[in-house]
Structure formats: C-alpha cells, structure tokens
Amino acid sequence: MIKEIDFAQAGEMLARFSGMLTEEQMVSRLQAFAEEKGVERFQAAAADELIRVTRPERLVPAIYSDYRDVVRDGLRFLFRHLAPERLYPILAAQVKLKKDASPEERLVRLAGEIPTLHKLGQIIARNRNIDPFFRHWLIELENNVPSPGTGEIQTVLRREMRNYLIPYRIGIDREFLAEASVGVVIGGHWTAPDTGAPGRAAFKVIKPGVREQLREEFELLDRIAQYFDENRDRYY
C-alpha cells in the first residue's frame, strides 16, 4: 500500500456519505481524489485495496494452493492497469456495498464489472471435477450476471434497427429472455409489410461498452502473461 494514500480511511469517509451520494457523484469524488494524489499512485493503491477487501486467494481451495499467488498477483496487475475511468466505478460500487459485505460478495460484484473474469468464472464453474466449495462459489458468480436496464438495450436496438422500425412495425419487450456475461436476448414483435401477418422475434444484443472493455482486457491479459513470464521464478 502506498503510504500517502490511506484507502481504508478514505473508504470509511466515503462510506459515511454513500447513502446520500449517487454512484456518479462518488465516481466524481474518487476521480478528484486520484488527480490530487496522482493517478498512477492512486491506481496502485486502489489495486492493493481491492485485493485486501476481496481476498481472491482465499477462495482458491487448498488443493490448488500453488496457484493462490498467481491469482492474487494477476488480479492486482489487472486492477493496476485498467483505465482510470473503469477503475473509479469499480471502487464506487465497492464503497456502496454494505460495510460487512463478505470478500465473496465483493469479488462477485467486482467480477461483474470485468467481462473476461466473469466469463472465465462461468467456464470453470461448468467443470464438475473441481473442488465443490469453489464450484459453488463460481455458480453464484454465474447467477449474478451484471445487468443493463432494458431501456438501455431498447435504445441500442432502436438505433441499430432505425431503418426497419416503421416499415415492420417492430416492438421490443420490456423483459430479457436470457442474459450472459457480454450480451442479452430480448423478445419483440413485428408485422410483415406485404401481408400484415404478425410475428415474434428475439434480438441478441451485445451489452453497451462491452466491446471496448473486452478490447482493453484482452490487451491486459497479454501483458499479464508477459509479467508472469518475466517473474516466473517467484512462483516455483
């Protein structure tokens, strides 16, 4: 932890006002705090704090204990190098959680902000041969999919189908049919222009912002692999 930035103290102060501040206001305060202290310093300290409160290595069962340092250090590297505009909302969401939220709850919430982590957890959870406790936690992760509002998805669809909305009299449902890490499926209806026959539809939509997030995260995964290669002696 960088001594100039006492995240425990800053977090407690923000938590006192979390009920009065919107998440956007909290993000704004965190950004101002980061710019005052120095963004790179802030990111390094924030990464350490996220590791402290989520304790990801604790979830790795004893049978896989050789990988605990790899998991912890890989996540710390990821948090340190995420774009600041992504890191601020992640921190704000952690402050908004209950003070006694468990590390597991905090890690689930955090993974929901990072599509590659969320997807990786889903894939591992489908392996029935892994440690039962670990698998149970991963299933909880799979069941807690970060969800955009239906209004946001409707806006995306209307923009993408703007040339077809009127001719086909397309309507979009208010509830999702299915949801995954990076996309949603939402129902709708349409009318054939030539016959007037009604029809049902299902629209598959990539969540807003996910493309940009994945682009950044895939680049960071390459850098994490390079980091482990350069520091492999630490993990033998």
Side-chain angles (χ1 to χ4, degrees), residues 1 37 45 71 91 98 130 141 212 221:
M1 174 69 72
K37 297 294 184 180
V71 169
L91 292 168
K98 293 183 297 183
I130 62 175
L141 175 63
E212 294 76 15
L221 288 175

Side-chain angles (χ1 to χ4, degrees), residues 149-151 154 172-176 186-187:
T150 53
Q154 288 171 336
I172 305 167
D173 292 349
R174 295 180 177 275
E175 295 183 3
F176 298 142
I186 190 168

Side-chain angles (χ1 to χ4, degrees), residues 73-89:
D73 294 350
L75 287 175
R76 180 183 282 115
F77 187 99
L78 177 65
F79 301 151
R80 281 191 176 202
H81 295 90
L82 274 179
E85 59 267 22
R86 290 190 62 192
L87 186 61
Y88 302 142

Side-chain angles (χ1 to χ4, degrees), residues 148-163:
T150 53
E152 193 174 5
I153 296 299
Q154 288 171 336
T155 299
V156 170
L157 278 171
R158 290 190 182 104
R159 182 176 65 245
E160 295 292 328
M161 299 190 299
R162 57 187 175 276
N163 295 329

